[in-house]
Amino acid sequence: MIKVLSLVGLVLVSTASFAAGLSGSYETRITTSSMAGEPVASKEAAYAAGKMMLQDVNAQSPRELRQSASLNSNDLVDKRSVELLDSQITIKEVMTSNGDIAYQPVMNVKYTYRFRERE
């Protein structure tokens, strides 16, 4: 009976230490980034391309979001915690090298993730 209680006590201490190590110094960060699409000839085409960009980012898993977002590489990021909070498209009017006007979709994304600094 003493062996069983000792084993249970050891498992509880090990589990508590392991859990404390995982949640220890993680912080939550909310950040934004912008991603630009290719310039196109019309605003309608730019909005259509922007809509596809939104659909693509909304369908991504947390790991895929981490890869497509530019997160600080100096931090240890919990890959499963990356979550999209908001996304929107704006259209930017640009001039090409030929002097033609083109329209470029720009996706602004707001997301959150858990991280801890490297030691």
Side-chain angles (χ1 to χ4, degrees), residues 25-36:
S25 59
Y26 274 99
E27 298 176 44
T28 300
R29 179 177 289 158
I30 296 175
T31 193
T32 59
S33 69
S34 295
M35 300 171 212

Side-chain angles (χ1 to χ4, degrees), residues 11-32:
V11 169
L12 288 175
V13 169
S14 297
T15 304
S17 299
F18 180 71
L22 287 180
S23 63
S25 59
Y26 274 99
E27 298 176 44
T28 300
R29 179 177 289 158
I30 296 175
T31 193
T32 59

Side-chain angles (χ1 to χ4, degrees), residues 70-119:
S70 54
L71 302 182
N72 186 349
S73 61
N74 293 331
D75 296 332
L76 296 172
V77 176
D78 178 359
K79 296 175 183 142
R80 295 170 293 172
S81 71
V82 182
E83 181 183 345
L84 185 65
L85 298 175
D86 188 28
S87 56
Q88 63 182 14
I89 292 292
T90 56
I91 303 301
K92 181 178 173 184
E93 193 171 294
V94 296
M95 184 178 292
T96 67
S97 59
N98 298 341
D100 297 329
I101 299 295
Y103 302 92
Q104 183 176 31
V106 178
M107 181 172 56
N108 300 305
V109 204
K110 181 177 180 181
Y111 51 93
T112 183
Y113 60 94
R114 288 176 15 119
F115 75 99
R116 63 180 175 190
E117 294 179 2
R118 293 186 189 270
E119 294 180 9

